[in-house]
Amino acid sequence: MANYTTVTEFLLLGFSDVWELRVLHAMLFLLMYLTTLIGNLLIVTVTTFDKSIHTPMYFFLRNLSVLDMCYISVTVPKACVILLLNNRVISIVGCAAQIFLIISCAAAELLFLTIMAYDRYVAICHPLHYPVIMNPHVCVQMTLASIFSGLIYAGVHTSNTFRLSFCQSNVIHQFFCDIPPLLKLSCSDTFINEVVIFFSAVVIVGGFFSFIIMTYSRIFSAVLKLPTRGERGKAFSTCIPHILMVTVLVSSVFVVYLNPTSNSPTIQDMIIAVFYSIVPPFLNPIIYSLRNKQIKEAVRRIMRR
């Protein structure tokens, strides 16, 4: 029988061992982190205190902004500590907590984006029924359902991962704890884990992504019937960035999670991880505030007060 040493803690990696590059990466991460916090705090403040935009769309946008601040806070602060202080150690409990929070935030993010797509579909394709379908009670129920679904989804994957034994290397080839690099360190059979990940990625994530694409295809069909080019342009400029954001999130998750035990280059895995753990929270305020006329006007009204 083979002798194994049980892993009690893990070591995370940075993007480089060169000090100057580590500082550069840390400053870039910190800039993105602060920009994300400021942008999302601005959206939360405006959508809370300006009553003129107390509509379902901005209710979901406010929830998305709160979620994005939590989402990026799970990974970036620890990554900056790794880069600047070279403190790479993370306990098993800390690793499990990080995985649970990342997956729950990512799942809730996808659900919120799906709800926001449906909200736009009802508003554009069924405007007369919009107040009835998207009433405040339904909006709250959708939000709570998304949060609890994300927590359950994360709980399943986290518990399924940490039932494994880790008795090989304790070096996680990633700047945060994630399931695919952990599976590579396990000395247990990971077949069930891979099946569950594949099923959830294809059926659940793929299902929501397909729903978003079908929703926007119907929106575009309705938009093309609008009488003026200006109205069509405004609708397209709002919808296309949303689709691109969802595509970046889902495609990067697919690349990493559909082949969790692949031996792809470490730096490639780390760069792809940035696209689903940092880029969505960073870009969402830009997409939904800087390009949004109502948000800009609400900011001006609050500043005048």
Side-chain angles (χ1 to χ4, degrees):
M1 186 173 180
N3 292 323
Y4 291 123
T5 301
T6 303
V7 173
T8 58
E9 61 184 20
F10 296 107
L11 296 177
L12 301 173
L13 292 182
F15 285 86
S16 174
D17 292 327
V18 180
W19 168 247
E20 290 79 6
L21 290 178
R22 281 163 50 192
V23 172
L24 178 62
H25 293 152
M27 293 301 103
L28 180 60
F29 272 25
L30 187 59
L31 178 62
M32 295 178 70
Y33 182 60
L34 293 177
T35 303
T36 301
L37 292 184
I38 293 171
N40 283 295
L41 276 173
L42 177 65
I43 292 176
V44 171
T45 302
V46 170
T47 55
T48 300
F49 292 103
D50 194 305
K51 295 183 179 180
S52 66
I53 54 175
H54 281 186
T55 61
M57 184 179 84
Y58 292 104
F59 171 77
F60 293 125
L61 180 57
R62 179 166 66 248
N63 294 330
L64 181 66
S65 295
V66 173
L67 178 67
D68 282 338
M69 288 188 285
C70 298
Y71 192 3
I72 199 169
S73 296
V74 176
T75 56
V76 172
K78 179 61 177 177
C80 290
V81 170
I82 295 171
L83 292 167
L84 294 177
L85 303 180
N86 201 30
N87 183 2
R88 301 161 51 201
V89 178
I90 186 169
S91 65
I92 287 185
V93 173
C95 188
Q98 196 174 48
I99 285 178
F100 177 81
L101 292 172
I102 289 171
I103 294 178
S104 59
C105 287
E109 176 105 358
L110 180 60
L111 289 170
F112 279 161
L113 292 173
T114 304
I115 292 171
M116 292 172 72
Y118 177 71
D119 173 76
R120 291 299 84 205
Y121 163 74
V122 176
I124 293 174
C125 299
H126 303 283
L128 297 179
H129 298 95
Y130 182 74
V132 177
I133 296 175
M134 302 302 293
N135 64 74
H137 185 65
V138 170
C139 293
V140 172
Q141 285 183 329
M142 285 182 171
T143 300
L144 293 176
S146 299
I147 294 172
F148 285 124
S149 297
L151 293 175
I152 294 172
Y153 183 79
V156 170
H157 283 287
T158 305
S159 60
N160 198 36
T161 300
F162 283 90
R163 70 175 178 80
L164 303 173
S165 298
F166 301 99
C167 45
Q168 298 184 26
S169 170
N170 69 333
V171 178
I172 298 177
H173 293 280
Q174 191 56 270
F175 64 93
F176 61 91
C177 280
D178 202 6
I179 292 177
L182 273 176
L183 294 184
K184 298 176 186 178
L185 305 182
S186 176
C187 50
S188 304
D189 184 7
T190 61
F191 176 75
I192 294 177
N193 298 71
E194 293 176 45
V195 170
V196 171
I197 290 172
F198 184 86
F199 175 82
S200 61
V202 172
V203 177
I204 300 177
V205 178
F208 282 112
F209 181 65
S210 299
F211 177 82
I212 292 173
I213 295 301
M214 287 189 295
T215 299
Y216 275 110
S217 67
R218 294 187 178 184
I219 291 175
F220 289 154
S221 177
V223 166
L224 290 174
K225 299 176 183 177
L226 293 175
T228 64
R229 181 177 297 179
E231 290 177 330
R232 293 195 296 269
K234 181 180 178 181
F236 281 125
S237 67
T238 302
C239 296
I240 290 177
H242 185 182
I243 294 176
L244 292 176
M245 192 68 267
V246 174
T247 303
V248 169
L249 175 64
V250 173
S251 60
S252 57
V253 168
F254 276 177
V255 170
V256 174
Y257 281 84
L258 285 185
N259 197 10
T261 56
S262 67
N263 293 317
S264 57
T266 298
I267 190 64
Q268 176 183 329
D269 288 342
M270 296 174 76
I271 291 173
I272 293 173
V274 170
F275 279 94
Y276 69 82
S277 63
I278 298 177
V279 172
F282 172 71
L283 288 183
N284 278 339
I286 298 174
I287 292 174
Y288 294 111
S289 62
L290 294 181
R291 298 175 58 88
N292 191 303
K293 184 179 179 181
Q294 286 180 292
I295 290 287
K296 292 178 182 177
E297 291 176 350
V299 170
R300 295 190 189 101
R301 285 194 295 269
I302 290 177
M303 291 180 67
R304 282 198 295 267
R305 294 175 188 172

